[in-house]
Amino acid sequence: METGKPGNWFIDEEAANTDGFPILFIHGINTTSETWIKENDMLPITRGAGYQSVFIELHPDEDMWRNGEILAERLREMYEFFNKKIIVVTHSKGGIDAQTALVHYGASSYVERVITLSTPHHGSELADLAFSKWAGWLTDALKSKTNAVFSLQTAYMKGFRAETDGSPLTQKNPIYTFGGTGWGAAYSELFWGGLYLSRFGQSDGAVLVKSSRLSYAKEVAVGDWTHTTIKQGSEVFPYLKGLYKEDVTDVVYGELSELALEGETSVLHRGGEFEGIGLERFFVEEGVEKITVNWISDQKSTVYELIGPDGKEYKNWSVALDATGYFPGAYHHSILLSAPVPGKWEVKAASLQKEHYMLSILFHKKREGALLVNALNEVAPSVKKTYTIHHLPMKSKKQHSKIITSEDLSSLPLADFEEGIHNITTDLEGKTEQGNDFQRTTIQTVYVDGKGNIY
């Protein structure tokens, strides 16, 4: 079997004595059909169970509209080829591409049911981050501001859900969802994504459990899977095989619940570029139990040094290649410290090449040690707020940003926002009750569609 250009599809030619519905596997963002075949035992397990596997190539970097249109036509071809309806198994954004094909491009008649493995049905805060103020130096250098990531910003997906969920076609094809709660080993490729997303709920290092759900779908299971292992055959086939039958009424579903998160996490972002020596400073206030310093860079071999207010130096950094799909090709240089000393901290970076980076500091606190900053606009009066709004026009292939900086968001009424996505980065700084400096960053998106609806 060979992979090819978007739209190509192929079958498992070694499958024999197959029965039931053909199983189409759809990949997610920044991957190809090889995600189901290489370093994955899904194919031999499916073959051994007597099912015909089918694979398709979609654009790894395009939005659901382009992929959905391609997929709808290919589903019609598959239906005619097999003279049977197809069961669709999707990973990550592939689930959104599939639903777009069914609801918006008329492919629902060719499909028996849809299974989504950690699909961000409601978008991802990591996509919001990728288009935010402080990530720009890095994501521009990585050329990772793709249409695929653009379409997964949370506000845009609210618009997509409003346009999609009201259609009666959502009821024509049963949808079965899976979610994951594992991040892998400490400092592994999905560990940082899990830490970052922990502010919003449980995740598999890339997609929140609550984002993997649809109100009209049936959740089969939420397990200790990472965004990578949730598509491994040996991990999920025991659950999938019950969904491959003609009648799935005997499938046992998981409970729609999440574990309580321990404590609270907030974040500070900074970013830029340098050649030679780079320097960033940040404050840690009292009551912070742990900090995770994550310097995300387009360089692997840079040497980093973290220096505390007491002059103590920390040089034992870990490095992992990003696996979330939102910063492809980036390296996470990170270090976790318990009981950090309050005061001013420094990160020094030494590189032999020009480097583009985003620095993220994650602050971990107990719930009873509440921050002055909890959410956008829920701050103490003494806190200084600076808003930077990037306007991301829908029709701009370059997706250039119009940047407006203000200390008063009310001077920029949403009703005046142009069509497109408005990615709002809020930088906050102030003092705690004990008089210590603190800094935080929040990110949110606002989507204005062509009819003037605001999400």
Side-chain angles (χ1 to χ4, degrees):
M1 294 179 292
E2 296 182 0
T3 59
K5 65 180 182 180
N8 281 6
W9 62 276
F10 53 95
I11 67 173
D12 172 18
E13 296 180 351
E14 296 183 31
N17 302 316
T18 59
D19 193 15
F21 302 105
I23 314 299
L24 171 64
F25 293 95
I26 301 178
H27 63 82
I29 191 172
N30 292 327
T31 59
T32 68
S33 63
E34 290 187 349
T35 195
W36 300 107
I37 302 168
K38 291 189 175 181
E39 298 182 3
N40 192 340
D41 53 8
M42 183 68 82
L43 175 57
I45 289 177
T46 306
R47 180 190 298 157
Y51 293 100
Q52 175 68 68
S53 295
V54 188
F55 303 91
I56 189 168
E57 301 296 340
L58 295 177
H59 291 282
D61 54 0
E62 282 294 344
D63 62 27
M64 69 287 285
W65 304 110
R66 187 167 184 184
N67 279 347
E69 185 175 18
I70 293 171
L71 180 57
E73 177 61 25
R74 298 305 180 265
L75 283 168
R76 180 189 62 80
E77 293 177 4
M78 295 174 198
Y79 175 75
E80 294 175 350
F81 178 84
F82 291 108
N83 197 27
K84 291 182 180 179
K85 288 188 176 182
I86 313 297
I87 289 180
V88 175
V89 178
T90 71
H91 178 241
S92 196
K93 178 180 169 288
I96 300 170
D97 295 339
Q99 193 178 30
T100 304
L102 271 57
V103 175
H104 298 286
Y105 292 102
S108 60
S109 298
Y110 313 131
V111 171
E112 180 66 19
R113 62 187 68 108
V114 177
I115 302 165
T116 66
L117 306 175
S118 197
T119 288
H121 291 294
H122 304 278
S124 173
E125 287 76 9
L126 289 170
D128 295 347
L129 176 60
F131 277 89
S132 67
K133 167 186 174 182
W134 293 112
W137 285 275
L138 177 62
T139 49
D140 285 341
L142 296 172
K143 302 188 186 312
S144 59
K145 289 182 177 179
T146 65
N147 290 334
V149 178
F150 183 91
S151 69
L152 291 178
Q153 292 178 88
T154 54
Y156 186 78
M157 285 303 298
K158 284 184 179 179
F160 175 80
R161 294 261 62 94
E163 188 175 352
T164 302
D165 293 350
S167 170
L169 290 175
T170 58
Q171 306 300 320
K172 187 170 182 178
N173 306 104
I175 300 176
Y176 301 86
T177 69
F178 289 73
T181 60
W183 308 347
Y187 305 115
S188 62
E189 62 272 16
L190 288 165
F191 183 76
W192 176 80
L195 279 176
Y196 183 81
L197 292 174
S198 67
R199 298 181 300 130
F200 309 101
Q202 286 184 299
S203 79
D204 63 359
V207 174
L208 291 171
V209 170
K210 61 186 177 184
S211 188
S212 72
R213 294 168 169 160
L214 287 171
S215 61
Y216 48 84
K218 294 181 179 179
E219 183 172 75
V220 180
V222 172
D224 188 26
W225 296 300
T226 71
H227 199 63
T228 299
T229 61
I230 200 169
K231 61 178 167 45
Q232 298 291 319
S234 55
E235 292 281 343
V236 296
F237 187 81
Y239 299 87
L240 295 178
K241 63 182 180 181
L243 300 173
Y244 291 169
K245 299 176 181 178
E246 291 276 351
D247 184 2
V248 297
T249 56
D250 59 344
V251 173
V252 177
Y253 303 107
E255 296 182 1
L256 300 183
S257 61
E258 290 189 62
L259 296 174
L261 297 176
E262 296 181 1
E264 60 183 20
T265 304
S266 52
V267 68
L268 172 70
H269 294 301
R270 291 294 183 264
E273 61 183 21
F274 71 94
E275 189 168 3
I277 301 296
L279 178 65
E280 289 284 357
R281 297 183 174 91
F282 63 94
F283 292 98
V284 175
E285 75 276 11
E286 74 284 349
V288 175
E289 288 191 313
K290 295 182 295 183
I291 59 170
T292 302
V293 182
N294 184 34
W295 187 292
I296 315 173
S297 166
D298 59 353
Q299 302 297 325
K300 182 179 181 180
S301 57
T302 301
V303 177
Y304 300 96
E305 184 178 15
L306 178 64
I307 305 171
D310 55 0
K312 188 174 181 179
E313 300 177 357
Y314 304 86
K315 300 180 180 180
N316 188 25
W317 295 68
S318 65
V319 60
L321 186 64
D322 185 84
T324 64
Y326 301 100
F327 302 91
Y331 294 92
H332 292 269
H333 305 267
S334 55
I335 189 167
L336 171 66
L337 295 180
S338 297
V341 177
K344 183 187 290 186
W345 290 71
E346 291 186 350
V347 182
K348 291 183 179 179
S351 178
L352 297 177
Q353 304 179 60
K354 188 173 185 178
E355 177 168 328
H356 306 84
Y357 69 92
M358 178 177 66
L359 174 65
S360 295
I361 316 296
L362 292 165
F363 302 85
H364 312 274
K365 303 186 75 170
K366 289 183 179 179
R367 286 195 181 277
E368 58 265 31
L371 294 173
L372 285 178
V373 184
N374 290 316
L376 187 65
N377 293 331
E378 293 181 8
V379 294
S382 61
V383 176
K384 178 182 178 182
K385 299 170 287 184
T386 303
Y387 303 93
T388 303
I389 304 175
H390 293 238
H391 176 222
L392 309 170
M394 298 300 298
K395 303 300 182 182
S396 172
K397 290 187 177 180
K398 292 184 178 180
Q399 294 172 1
H400 59 275
S401 300
K402 178 182 179 182
I403 303 175
I404 307 170
T405 301
S406 172
E407 292 185 13
D408 182 10
L409 191 59
S410 64
S411 66
L412 300 164
L414 297 182
D416 293 342
F417 278 14
E418 303 172 44
E419 180 183 357
I421 293 181
H422 302 265
N423 191 300
I424 305 172
T425 299
T426 309
D427 293 310
L428 307 104
E429 60 182 53
K431 291 185 180 294
T432 64
E433 293 179 355
Q434 285 77 12
N436 291 316
D437 292 305
F438 76 90
Q439 304 163 301
R440 294 294 190 272
T441 306
T442 65
I443 297 168
Q444 72 177 92
T445 55
V446 175
Y447 169 51
V448 182
D449 66 16
K451 299 177 182 179
N453 297 314
I454 299 174
Y455 301 92

